[in-house]
Amino acid sequence: MSVFPSLTSSVPASAPTAPTQADLLDFVRRTAADAELIASLPLDPEGRTWVRLEGPGGSEAWLIGWPPGTGTGWHDHADSVGAFLTAAGELKENSLAARLPTDGWKTLELSEDVDRERRLPAGRGRSFGHHHVHEVLNESPDRHAISVHAYYPPLPQIRRYSRTGPILRLEQVECPEDWQ
């Protein structure tokens, strides 16, 4: 008989940890480096195409093809954190460097210093926190772009906005059944 208590009976099982923004960025980097996967995405000359991927730790992930001149429009990912990376071509991200109220508004006037722009050529990406408002664009006149995206928790909703100068308007709230 052992005089030492069993470690397995006295240490509680640890719950799986949620992926962090860094984990999601690492995932999109590794996935974008899979040339066979990137080449397998069917590309439409007129509309975005996408394939759902298995993300880390229960996250939601997507491989997205962007025809020339397409974009997402202004939107956020509600309570999810995320990351995305350009695997082919180049994307542009316009974002707001301001935390917006999450509920109870339809129209906001933005201050002059909130706009940010990032160019994301192949191999470049970024992570972002909760309620990150942005738009992603493929401004190329003749070349598709491909990107990998991951979100945790899986997207509970997407809020879509319109923007005219400094005025941002909430236009629509989409739920997962609207895009899956």
Side-chain angles (χ1 to χ4, degrees), residues 39-58:
S40 75
L41 180 67
L43 299 175
D44 183 311
E46 296 181 22
R48 285 189 299 151
T49 55
W50 56 87
V51 173
R52 186 152 185 182
L53 305 171
E54 187 72 28

PDB file of all heavy atoms in Angstrom, residues 39-58:
ATOM      1  N   ALA A  39      -5.259  26.282 -52.909  1.00  0.00           N
ATOM      2  CA  ALA A  39      -5.529  26.031 -54.329  1.00  0.00           C
ATOM      3  C   ALA A  39      -6.851  25.296 -54.548  1.00  0.00           C
ATOM      4  O   ALA A  39      -7.413  25.349 -55.649  1.00  0.00           O
ATOM      5  CB  ALA A  39      -4.370  25.243 -54.943  1.00  0.00           C
ATOM      6  N   SER A  40      -7.360  24.613 -53.534  1.00  0.00           N
ATOM      7  CA  SER A  40      -8.596  23.836 -53.687  1.00  0.00           C
ATOM      8  C   SER A  40      -9.861  24.685 -53.623  1.00  0.00           C
ATOM      9  O   SER A  40     -10.945  24.217 -53.969  1.00  0.00           O
ATOM     10  CB  SER A  40      -8.670  22.740 -52.613  1.00  0.00           C
ATOM     11  OG  SER A  40      -8.995  23.306 -51.342  1.00  0.00           O
ATOM     12  N   LEU A  41      -9.762  25.946 -53.197  1.00  0.00           N
ATOM     13  CA  LEU A  41     -10.951  26.779 -53.065  1.00  0.00           C
ATOM     14  C   LEU A  41     -11.480  27.154 -54.444  1.00  0.00           C
ATOM     15  O   LEU A  41     -10.761  27.755 -55.245  1.00  0.00           O
ATOM     16  CB  LEU A  41     -10.627  28.064 -52.280  1.00  0.00           C
ATOM     17  CG  LEU A  41     -11.811  29.017 -52.077  1.00  0.00           C
ATOM     18  CD1 LEU A  41     -12.863  28.390 -51.171  1.00  0.00           C
ATOM     19  CD2 LEU A  41     -11.332  30.337 -51.499  1.00  0.00           C
ATOM     20  N   PRO A  42     -12.736  26.819 -54.737  1.00  0.00           N
ATOM     21  CA  PRO A  42     -13.298  27.242 -56.027  1.00  0.00           C
ATOM     22  C   PRO A  42     -13.500  28.757 -56.018  1.00  0.00           C
ATOM     23  O   PRO A  42     -13.996  29.315 -55.042  1.00  0.00           O
ATOM     24  CB  PRO A  42     -14.640  26.504 -56.107  1.00  0.00           C
ATOM     25  CG  PRO A  42     -14.963  26.070 -54.723  1.00  0.00           C
ATOM     26  CD  PRO A  42     -13.682  26.054 -53.934  1.00  0.00           C
ATOM     27  N   LEU A  43     -13.082  29.411 -57.086  1.00  0.00           N
ATOM     28  CA  LEU A  43     -13.185  30.866 -57.178  1.00  0.00           C
ATOM     29  C   LEU A  43     -14.248  31.247 -58.202  1.00  0.00           C
ATOM     30  O   LEU A  43     -14.257  30.742 -59.319  1.00  0.00           O
ATOM     31  CB  LEU A  43     -11.837  31.476 -57.564  1.00  0.00           C
ATOM     32  CG  LEU A  43     -10.696  31.214 -56.580  1.00  0.00           C
ATOM     33  CD1 LEU A  43      -9.389  31.772 -57.124  1.00  0.00           C
ATOM     34  CD2 LEU A  43     -11.015  31.771 -55.205  1.00  0.00           C
ATOM     35  N   ASP A  44     -15.136  32.128 -57.805  1.00  0.00           N
ATOM     36  CA  ASP A  44     -16.203  32.631 -58.662  1.00  0.00           C
ATOM     37  C   ASP A  44     -15.764  33.999 -59.183  1.00  0.00           C
ATOM     38  O   ASP A  44     -15.275  34.817 -58.407  1.00  0.00           O
ATOM     39  CB  ASP A  44     -17.479  32.755 -57.823  1.00  0.00           C
ATOM     40  CG  ASP A  44     -18.685  33.201 -58.625  1.00  0.00           C
ATOM     41  OD1 ASP A  44     -18.582  34.196 -59.371  1.00  0.00           O
ATOM     42  OD2 ASP A  44     -19.746  32.577 -58.491  1.00  0.00           O
ATOM     43  N   PRO A  45     -15.953  34.286 -60.469  1.00  0.00           N
ATOM     44  CA  PRO A  45     -15.502  35.577 -60.991  1.00  0.00           C
ATOM     45  C   PRO A  45     -16.320  36.766 -60.488  1.00  0.00           C
ATOM     46  O   PRO A  45     -15.875  37.908 -60.593  1.00  0.00           O
ATOM     47  CB  PRO A  45     -15.645  35.426 -62.511  1.00  0.00           C
ATOM     48  CG  PRO A  45     -16.600  34.312 -62.715  1.00  0.00           C
ATOM     49  CD  PRO A  45     -16.491  33.421 -61.506  1.00  0.00           C
ATOM     50  N   GLU A  46     -17.495  36.522 -59.899  1.00  0.00           N
ATOM     51  CA  GLU A  46     -18.351  37.639 -59.516  1.00  0.00           C
ATOM     52  C   GLU A  46     -18.661  37.740 -58.025  1.00  0.00           C
ATOM     53  O   GLU A  46     -18.901  38.828 -57.520  1.00  0.00           O
ATOM     54  CB  GLU A  46     -19.656  37.569 -60.294  1.00  0.00           C
ATOM     55  CG  GLU A  46     -19.428  37.734 -61.781  1.00  0.00           C
ATOM     56  CD  GLU A  46     -20.712  37.686 -62.567  1.00  0.00           C
ATOM     57  OE1 GLU A  46     -21.782  37.939 -61.982  1.00  0.00           O
ATOM     58  OE2 GLU A  46     -20.642  37.394 -63.761  1.00  0.00           O
ATOM     59  N   GLY A  47     -18.690  36.631 -57.315  1.00  0.00           N
ATOM     60  CA  GLY A  47     -19.065  36.675 -55.905  1.00  0.00           C
ATOM     61  C   GLY A  47     -18.058  35.954 -55.032  1.00  0.00           C
ATOM     62  O   GLY A  47     -17.315  35.091 -55.500  1.00  0.00           O
ATOM     63  N   ARG A  48     -18.058  36.325 -53.758  1.00  0.00           N
ATOM     64  CA  ARG A  48     -17.155  35.651 -52.824  1.00  0.00           C
ATOM     65  C   ARG A  48     -17.559  34.194 -52.679  1.00  0.00           C
ATOM     66  O   ARG A  48     -18.737  33.853 -52.734  1.00  0.00           O
ATOM     67  CB  ARG A  48     -17.180  36.338 -51.453  1.00  0.00           C
ATOM     68  CG  ARG A  48     -16.431  37.638 -51.450  1.00  0.00           C
ATOM     69  CD  ARG A  48     -16.250  38.219 -50.067  1.00  0.00           C
ATOM     70  NE  ARG A  48     -17.526  38.502 -49.436  1.00  0.00           N
ATOM     71  CZ  ARG A  48     -17.739  38.485 -48.128  1.00  0.00           C
ATOM     72  NH1 ARG A  48     -16.765  38.194 -47.306  1.00  0.00           N
ATOM     73  NH2 ARG A  48     -18.915  38.772 -47.636  1.00  0.00           N
ATOM     74  N   THR A  49     -16.569  33.349 -52.478  1.00  0.00           N
ATOM     75  CA  THR A  49     -16.804  31.931 -52.197  1.00  0.00           C
ATOM     76  C   THR A  49     -16.180  31.618 -50.851  1.00  0.00           C
ATOM     77  O   THR A  49     -15.254  32.307 -50.409  1.00  0.00           O
ATOM     78  CB  THR A  49     -16.173  31.028 -53.278  1.00  0.00           C
ATOM     79  OG1 THR A  49     -14.786  31.337 -53.408  1.00  0.00           O
ATOM     80  CG2 THR A  49     -16.858  31.211 -54.615  1.00  0.00           C
ATOM     81  N   TRP A  50     -16.686  30.595 -50.179  1.00  0.00           N
ATOM     82  CA  TRP A  50     -16.142  30.243 -48.880  1.00  0.00           C
ATOM     83  C   TRP A  50     -16.360  28.784 -48.577  1.00  0.00           C
ATOM     84  O   TRP A  50     -17.282  28.151 -49.084  1.00  0.00           O
ATOM     85  CB  TRP A  50     -16.730  31.115 -47.773  1.00  0.00           C
ATOM     86  CG  TRP A  50     -18.231  31.085 -47.708  1.00  0.00           C
ATOM     87  CD1 TRP A  50     -19.022  30.199 -47.035  1.00  0.00           C
ATOM     88  CD2 TRP A  50     -19.124  31.980 -48.368  1.00  0.00           C
ATOM     89  NE1 TRP A  50     -20.346  30.495 -47.220  1.00  0.00           N
ATOM     90  CE2 TRP A  50     -20.436  31.593 -48.034  1.00  0.00           C
ATOM     91  CE3 TRP A  50     -18.940  33.079 -49.203  1.00  0.00           C
ATOM     92  CZ2 TRP A  50     -21.568  32.250 -48.515  1.00  0.00           C
ATOM     93  CZ3 TRP A  50     -20.069  33.732 -49.680  1.00  0.00           C
ATOM     94  CH2 TRP A  50     -21.347  33.318 -49.326  1.00  0.00           C
ATOM     95  N   VAL A  51     -15.464  28.274 -47.741  1.00  0.00           N
ATOM     96  CA  VAL A  51     -15.533  26.905 -47.230  1.00  0.00           C
ATOM     97  C   VAL A  51     -15.303  26.996 -45.733  1.00  0.00           C
ATOM     98  O   VAL A  51     -14.358  27.664 -45.283  1.00  0.00           O
ATOM     99  CB  VAL A  51     -14.454  26.008 -47.887  1.00  0.00           C
ATOM    100  CG1 VAL A  51     -14.416  24.631 -47.232  1.00  0.00           C
ATOM    101  CG2 VAL A  51     -14.673  25.908 -49.383  1.00  0.00           C
ATOM    102  N   ARG A  52     -16.154  26.324 -44.979  1.00  0.00           N
ATOM    103  CA  ARG A  52     -15.980  26.312 -43.523  1.00  0.00           C
ATOM    104  C   ARG A  52     -14.877  25.325 -43.168  1.00  0.00           C
ATOM    105  O   ARG A  52     -14.795  24.237 -43.735  1.00  0.00           O
ATOM    106  CB  ARG A  52     -17.277  25.936 -42.829  1.00  0.00           C
ATOM    107  CG  ARG A  52     -17.140  26.054 -41.341  1.00  0.00           C
ATOM    108  CD  ARG A  52     -18.412  26.347 -40.680  1.00  0.00           C
ATOM    109  NE  ARG A  52     -18.161  26.568 -39.268  1.00  0.00           N
ATOM    110  CZ  ARG A  52     -19.082  26.803 -38.401  1.00  0.00           C
ATOM    111  NH1 ARG A  52     -20.331  26.877 -38.794  1.00  0.00           N
ATOM    112  NH2 ARG A  52     -18.785  26.978 -37.141  1.00  0.00           N
ATOM    113  N   LEU A  53     -14.034  25.717 -42.210  1.00  0.00           N
ATOM    114  CA  LEU A  53     -12.918  24.894 -41.755  1.00  0.00           C
ATOM    115  C   LEU A  53     -13.103  24.543 -40.284  1.00  0.00           C
ATOM    116  O   LEU A  53     -13.847  25.209 -39.569  1.00  0.00           O
ATOM    117  CB  LEU A  53     -11.598  25.650 -41.915  1.00  0.00           C
ATOM    118  CG  LEU A  53     -11.270  26.187 -43.306  1.00  0.00           C
ATOM    119  CD1 LEU A  53     -10.042  27.087 -43.240  1.00  0.00           C
ATOM    120  CD2 LEU A  53     -11.069  25.051 -44.279  1.00  0.00           C
ATOM    121  N   GLU A  54     -12.384  23.544 -39.832  1.00  0.00           N
ATOM    122  CA  GLU A  54     -12.359  23.177 -38.415  1.00  0.00           C
ATOM    123  C   GLU A  54     -11.341  24.062 -37.714  1.00  0.00           C
ATOM    124  O   GLU A  54     -10.146  23.969 -37.955  1.00  0.00           O
ATOM    125  CB  GLU A  54     -11.960  21.702 -38.283  1.00  0.00           C
ATOM    126  CG  GLU A  54     -12.047  21.164 -36.892  1.00  0.00           C
ATOM    127  CD  GLU A  54     -13.482  20.964 -36.420  1.00  0.00           C
ATOM    128  OE1 GLU A  54     -14.368  20.737 -37.253  1.00  0.00           O
ATOM    129  OE2 GLU A  54     -13.693  21.038 -35.198  1.00  0.00           O
ATOM    130  N   GLY A  55     -11.812  24.965 -36.868  1.00  0.00           N
ATOM    131  CA  GLY A  55     -10.921  25.878 -36.151  1.00  0.00           C
ATOM    132  C   GLY A  55     -10.462  25.279 -34.833  1.00  0.00           C
ATOM    133  O   GLY A  55     -11.030  24.294 -34.350  1.00  0.00           O
ATOM    134  N   PRO A  56      -9.462  25.873 -34.211  1.00  0.00           N
ATOM    135  CA  PRO A  56      -8.944  25.350 -32.946  1.00  0.00           C
ATOM    136  C   PRO A  56      -9.901  25.610 -31.778  1.00  0.00           C
ATOM    137  O   PRO A  56     -10.570  26.643 -31.735  1.00  0.00           O
ATOM    138  CB  PRO A  56      -7.637  26.124 -32.756  1.00  0.00           C
ATOM    139  CG  PRO A  56      -7.869  27.421 -33.470  1.00  0.00           C
ATOM    140  CD  PRO A  56      -8.745  27.083 -34.643  1.00  0.00           C
ATOM    141  N   GLY A  57      -9.971  24.665 -30.853  1.00  0.00           N
ATOM    142  CA  GLY A  57     -10.702  24.853 -29.605  1.00  0.00           C
ATOM    143  C   GLY A  57     -12.160  25.226 -29.759  1.00  0.00           C
ATOM    144  O   GLY A  57     -12.690  25.998 -28.974  1.00  0.00           O
ATOM    145  N   GLY A  58     -12.828  24.715 -30.789  1.00  0.00           N
ATOM    146  CA  GLY A  58     -14.235  25.026 -30.977  1.00  0.00           C
ATOM    147  C   GLY A  58     -14.496  26.337 -31.685  1.00  0.00           C
ATOM    148  O   GLY A  58     -15.626  26.826 -31.724  1.00  0.00           O
TER     149      GLY A  58
END
